[in-house]
Amino acid sequence: MPSLHEPKLISGNANLKLSSAVAKRMSIHRGTPVKLVSARVERFNDQEIFVEIHENVRGEDMFIIQSTSRPANDNLMELLIIADTLRRSSAGRITAVIPYFGYARQDRRSKARTPISAKLVANMVAQSGIERVLTMDLHAAQIQGFFDMPVDNLYASPIFALDVKHHFRDCMDEVMVISPDVGGVARARELAKRIDAPLAIVDKRREKAGEVAEMTVIGDVTGKRCIIVDDICDTAGTLVKAAEVLIDKGAAEVHAYITHGVMSGPAVERISNSVMKTLVLSDTIAPTPEVLAAPNIRIVPTAPIFAQAILNIWGGTSVSSLFDHETLEPLYETAYS
């Protein structure tokens, strides 16, 4: 049943630009101004986080926009403290919009005596008063089951499909989608299906965490414009090595589409010096000045899909409808017209 109250947005400090863009898009969709709730989210001298909301939120349908990206712990605590502030201020419903869900790579025990931190974070989110989560491209789909609440997991593949069809419109028959590992085949297959392209796999074997010992290409990439698709780019070591292997196997050129640009340490330098022609990132994580200055890195917006998803949640309508090309394309028509 649609809410009697207007949807209200509040933002942490992780990605204020995205939050403002979501508010702007919601204003366009609704034809009435939507602004971020006036609040103070700051730190004391000892780095304790303090939140003060300057508007009445009693009974309101509240949406907190906050990625738990670097610094992950600070941004996670901001999210939890904002939620607690809203709960104690009698907000009607609290939804956490987490474009990038940190700790998602710790979704299982990889070896003895290790944590399942994604489950711990899910418990903390629930205890803070949050009643629903909206996110994008969870690293592991089973994380949705860690929450005893509704979790809407949006996908970047429909956005990437629109971008690929626009930028490769004159050579779509030469495009091949590449999964950078066996575990990412489902994600790569989804994009390949949307753009009607063949699929190949780079099979990697690790000697230890963070180091790839060997890569093998499964499939013929000769003369193809290869598009590597993945959910996270951290230090970019694996991505750059995969691009080199593809070129060695006869690929004409290599591009990459990554949902979450963590871009730690030497990532930007590696990408800038790599054989990849372009790396396309979404803005679920606020790009650093170095990322924005890199000549072969491009950013695609997620505000249109998040804005519509928030409106659908508020209005009690389908979020999964945004997975369809026909539904999503009008939201991005200005970007690809």
Side-chain angles (χ1 to χ4, degrees):
M1 181 177 179
S3 171
L4 297 176
H5 294 275
E6 297 294 305
K8 286 197 171 183
L9 309 180
I10 186 170
S11 179
N13 292 311
N15 198 339
L16 281 168
K17 187 174 180 180
L18 175 58
S19 301
S20 298
V22 169
K24 183 178 179 180
R25 292 294 306 201
M26 287 177 65
S27 300
I28 294 171
H29 296 339
R30 301 198 64 220
T32 58
V34 177
K35 296 182 179 179
L36 297 175
V37 166
S38 176
R40 184 159 60 109
V41 183
E42 60 182 35
R43 284 160 177 73
F44 293 141
N45 290 333
D46 64 353
Q47 298 305 301
E48 279 188 13
I49 295 166
F50 175 75
V51 175
E52 181 182 9
I53 299 173
H54 299 144
E55 298 180 24
N56 179 29
V57 296
R58 184 178 297 274
E60 299 287 358
D61 198 354
M62 299 299 305
F63 294 84
I64 310 169
I65 304 177
Q66 176 80 337
S67 281
T68 51
S69 49
R70 186 176 57 242
N73 297 329
D74 287 0
N75 287 330
L76 175 60
M77 283 304 299
E78 275 192 13
L79 171 66
L80 300 176
I81 293 172
I82 292 171
D84 184 70
T85 306
L86 291 171
R87 180 170 59 90
R88 295 177 187 277
S89 302
S90 303
R93 181 177 66 171
I94 304 170
T95 299
V97 181
I98 312 175
Y100 169 68
F101 184 81
Y103 284 102
R105 286 176 281 183
Q106 299 184 49
D107 62 297
R108 64 191 182 281
R109 296 188 67 188
S110 56
K111 57 182 71 173
R113 296 177 297 281
T114 57
I116 306 178
S117 302
K119 173 57 178 170
L120 173 62
V121 171
N123 291 343
M124 294 166 67
V125 167
Q127 289 299 313
S128 70
I130 290 167
E131 300 168 56
R132 189 182 194 108
V133 171
L134 173 64
T135 187
M136 177 172 279
D137 272 357
L138 282 171
H139 183 66
Q142 66 266 22
I143 293 174
Q144 288 179 282
F146 292 178
F147 292 87
D148 293 324
M149 65 178 73
V151 177
D152 294 302
N153 184 30
L154 300 176
Y155 299 104
S157 59
I159 305 171
F160 289 164
L162 289 173
D163 194 87
V164 170
K165 288 179 179 178
H166 175 74
H167 285 90
F168 296 86
R169 57 187 177 275
D170 298 327
C171 55
M172 285 300 297
D173 58 330
E174 301 173 15
V175 170
M176 175 176 271
V177 176
I178 309 294
S179 173
D181 53 46
V182 174
V185 170
R187 183 180 296 106
R189 186 185 294 119
E190 175 67 19
L191 179 60
K193 182 179 178 181
R194 288 180 181 275
I195 64 174
D196 193 24
L199 175 67
I201 303 168
V202 176
D203 183 32
K204 64 185 178 186
R205 186 172 63 200
R206 294 183 185 273
E207 292 292 340
K208 56 183 179 180
E211 293 185 13
V212 178
E214 183 181 349
M215 283 187 168
T216 304
V217 178
I218 303 173
D220 184 9
V221 299
T222 306
K224 295 293 186 180
R225 299 175 191 263
C226 293
I227 296 178
I228 302 173
V229 59
D230 207 353
D231 63 325
I232 296 173
C233 178
D234 194 342
T235 60
T238 301
L239 184 62
V240 167
K241 188 175 180 64
E244 292 172 354
V245 170
L246 290 167
I247 292 294
D248 290 343
K249 293 295 183 180
E253 55 190 45
V254 178
H255 306 261
Y257 280 74
I258 309 292
T259 309
H260 309 299
V262 177
M263 305 301 283
S264 302
V268 175
E269 182 181 0
R270 284 175 173 172
I271 296 296
S272 299
N273 297 330
S274 74
V275 297
M276 272 191 297
K277 291 200 69 174
T278 58
L279 167 62
V280 179
L281 303 172
S282 84
D283 59 354
T284 56
I285 297 175
T288 62
E290 293 76 19
V291 168
L292 293 173
N296 58 344
I297 299 179
R298 186 163 53 83
I299 309 295
V300 294
T302 57
I305 191 171
F306 275 113
Q308 190 61 55
I310 290 170
L311 288 173
N312 289 7
I313 290 170
W314 167 72
T317 57
S318 172
V319 172
S320 60
S321 64
L322 296 173
F323 304 160
D324 297 332
H325 175 81
E326 293 79 8
T327 306
L328 193 64
E329 188 171 20
L331 303 179
Y332 282 84
E333 60 186 358
T334 54
Y336 300 115
S337 58

